[in-house]
Amino acid sequence: MAEILKHAVPRAEVAASLDQVRATVAAVVADVRERGDAAVRAYSEKFDAWSPDSFRLSAEEVEKIVASVPEQVIDDIRFVQDQVRAFARHQLDSLREFEVETLPGVRLGQKHIPVQAAGAYIPGGRYPLTASAHMTVVTAKVAGVPRVVACTPPIHGEIPAATVAAMHLAGADEIWLLGGVQAVAAMAVGTDAMRPVNLIAGPGNAYVAEAKRQLFGEIGIDLFAGPTEILVLADEHADPFVCAVDLLSQAEHGPDSPAVLITTSREVAERTLAEVERLLPSMPTRDFAGPAWRDHGQVHVVDTLDELYELADAFAFEHVEVLTAEPRLALERMTQYGALFLGEGTCVSFGDKVIGTNHVLPTRGAARYTGGLWVGKYLKTVTYQEVTDPESQALLGRLCGRASRVELFEGHARSGDVRAAKAASDELPWNTE
């Protein structure tokens, strides 16, 4: 039986908050549809106090901004992008195009075609999230997307130079200083200034996630990537100090970021709670981490590792950090997560910032049915068919006729009949003058 030492706010309160988010997003999207660039500018002024002559940066402006970024920062960006690019290329190499002959003269094939235009949303309202540029733009370019539109908001009215540098070095074809729902809507429906894209990828706050949800179908999206989540799994061998540090590392993303500990040790649970209370007041980002831990932090104590893994799968969280004596057991025992971080030497922050796997991951239980952003999200896996052998054409034509008439699809049946008639001179009793 699980014992809960710390509860989150009731789900009803979270649901009520999401209702307000949905209404706000719907109004903004509708306005951008109707008024286009004028609406985009109005919301940028309202939410970001940002209204330049052009939201899109020119090549000269990008060059000037990149030149202002310290050399060490540029070197670090290049290093991390190399890691992301290498992992994405390994993913691409795992995908196979093929053509097989299933019957004489019957060839079936599979191809992977990149979407022709992708939007990359790089959050930045609170922090300059350069890493999101690596995850979205680099991965799209490895997939072969010819046009990548990258949007990020200004931060307190200032240009986030390091983020612009990351977008540029990642290979973005268009860089726009534009954020929030207005950016997502502009990329999805298009305006006079911005041509629409086919797919939008990238994390964001609740409003950005909801905008992607509402526009899905009209455009493709990577997944529903809302407020970040961390789940720490610990046994009696775990260091409570490490547990606390890592929980707070994700709580600082924002006041709605869940941070949860499940442990088989009541001592580890109690000491982790004490460490959080000790560390939190001195955190520079406590204004975000504090409310997140207060409202969305949880601590569960279970009796066995079996219960630990079962409860962890029920959460289906974005990030799962495994601080147990045998962390690789999680690979066998768990099925519902965005990404696993195995052992004390591997922290969620590595995945967020530097290690090379993609940090755009499913939240709010979406790990029950999808993984995170990867090179395959930018590819359309399509098929093709070709029949050149007359005997196979006749065989399939006759079979198509019989199968279609079972379903009362006479038009389909006749299409098959014609192939059999062309290939083997079958009669067409329905073809009377």
Side-chain angles (χ1 to χ4, degrees):
M1 292 291 293
E3 179 184 5
I4 304 176
L5 300 191
K6 185 183 185 307
H7 290 265
V9 296
R11 291 185 178 182
E13 292 184 27
V14 177
S17 174
L18 289 176
D19 287 342
Q20 184 271 324
V21 169
R22 292 188 182 104
T24 300
V25 168
V28 173
V29 170
D31 198 14
V32 172
R33 285 189 192 279
E34 182 176 349
R35 297 196 297 132
D37 290 319
V40 169
R41 184 169 296 277
Y43 290 114
S44 182
E45 289 177 342
K46 177 179 180 181
F47 296 125
D48 292 322
W50 184 253
S51 183
D53 292 338
S54 173
F55 291 103
R56 180 178 175 178
L57 294 177
S58 67
E60 293 77 15
E61 289 172 318
V62 171
E63 185 177 347
K64 182 178 179 180
I65 292 167
V66 173
S68 73
V69 178
E71 184 177 351
Q72 183 65 64
V73 174
I74 295 293
D75 289 345
D76 289 345
I77 288 173
R78 290 186 187 278
F79 177 87
V80 176
Q81 289 186 351
D82 284 346
Q83 311 315 302
V84 175
R85 188 174 294 108
F87 191 75
R89 284 176 175 160
H90 283 298
Q91 290 181 321
L92 186 62
D93 289 343
S94 75
L95 299 171
R96 191 168 65 91
E97 294 187 347
F98 63 84
E99 182 176 286
V100 294
E101 189 172 24
T102 58
L103 293 168
V106 178
R107 283 174 286 275
L108 308 182
Q110 171 176 290
K111 285 177 60 66
H112 304 297
I113 302 175
V115 299
Q116 294 302 289
Y121 187 81
I122 293 91
R126 300 186 182 103
Y127 313 113
L129 294 180
T130 59
S132 290
H134 318 331
M135 307 301 172
T136 53
V137 181
V138 168
T139 308
K141 283 301 180 181
V142 170
V145 178
R147 174 176 170 247
V148 177
V149 178
C151 289
T152 197
I155 299 179
H156 307 302
E158 299 292 331
I159 296 173
T163 304
V164 171
M167 296 156 92
H168 172 67
L169 295 172
D173 300 287
E174 301 174 21
I175 296 176
W176 296 70
L177 288 180
L178 185 64
V181 177
Q182 61 270 23
V184 175
M187 287 191 285
V189 307
T191 70
D192 288 340
M194 183 189 293
R195 288 182 292 136
V197 301
N198 308 124
L199 178 147
I200 295 176
N205 62 17
Y207 291 91
V208 168
E210 176 61 18
K212 289 166 62 181
R213 189 191 70 81
Q214 291 189 17
L215 289 160
F216 176 57
E218 184 170 351
I219 52 140
I221 64 171
D222 50 354
L223 47 88
F224 300 118
T228 193
E229 305 164 340
I230 182 172
L231 175 61
V232 174
L233 307 182
D235 62 12
E236 69 276 13
H237 304 288
D239 183 343
F241 174 71
V242 173
C243 293
V245 168
D246 290 350
L247 288 166
L248 292 175
S249 74
Q250 295 299 299
E252 74 176 356
H253 273 275
D256 51 359
S257 294
V260 177
L261 170 69
I262 304 174
T263 179
T264 56
S265 168
R266 185 180 182 89
E267 180 184 359
V268 168
E270 291 176 343
R271 289 179 57 193
T272 298
L273 282 166
E275 288 286 0
V276 168
E277 296 306 317
R278 181 179 71 83
L279 293 168
L280 188 52
S282 62
M283 280 188 71
T285 51
R286 61 185 175 275
D287 288 348
F288 299 135
W293 178 248
R294 180 193 67 214
D295 296 339
H296 302 284
Q298 298 181 48
V299 176
H300 297 252
V301 180
V302 296
D303 292 329
T304 66
L305 283 175
D306 287 342
E307 291 179 68
L308 178 140
Y309 288 125
E310 183 179 359
L311 183 56
D313 260 352
F315 272 96
F317 257 25
E318 177 187 21
H319 305 106
V320 179
E321 189 170 290
V322 187
L323 303 180
T324 62
E326 297 182 77
R328 292 183 68 88
L329 278 177
L331 289 169
E332 302 172 15
R333 304 295 298 279
M334 291 190 64
T335 61
Q336 299 189 156
Y337 53 86
L340 286 180
F341 301 83
L342 303 174
E344 189 178 275
T346 317
C347 59
V348 171
S349 295
F350 281 0
D352 277 353
K353 306 299 182 186
V354 298
I355 208 167
T357 50
N358 208 293
H359 79 194
V360 182
L361 298 166
T363 64
R364 293 181 180 155
R368 291 176 290 108
Y369 59 83
T370 187
L373 179 60
W374 70 297
V375 71
K377 290 284 187 178
Y378 293 101
L379 298 172
K380 299 174 291 181
T381 299
V382 299
T383 59
Y384 61 91
Q385 306 83 38
E386 182 181 32
V387 181
T388 58
D389 182 85
E391 290 188 14
S392 293
Q393 183 177 320
L395 170 67
L396 292 172
R398 293 164 187 154
L399 179 60
C400 180
R402 294 194 301 271
S404 297
R405 289 188 173 98
V406 168
E407 298 178 345
L408 306 182
F409 271 66
E410 181 62 25
H412 285 64
R414 292 182 178 189
S415 188
D417 294 346
V418 167
R419 269 63 192 181
K422 288 277 188 178
S425 300
D426 283 20
E427 293 184 2
L428 299 176
W430 48 264
N431 185 31
T432 58
E433 294 184 5

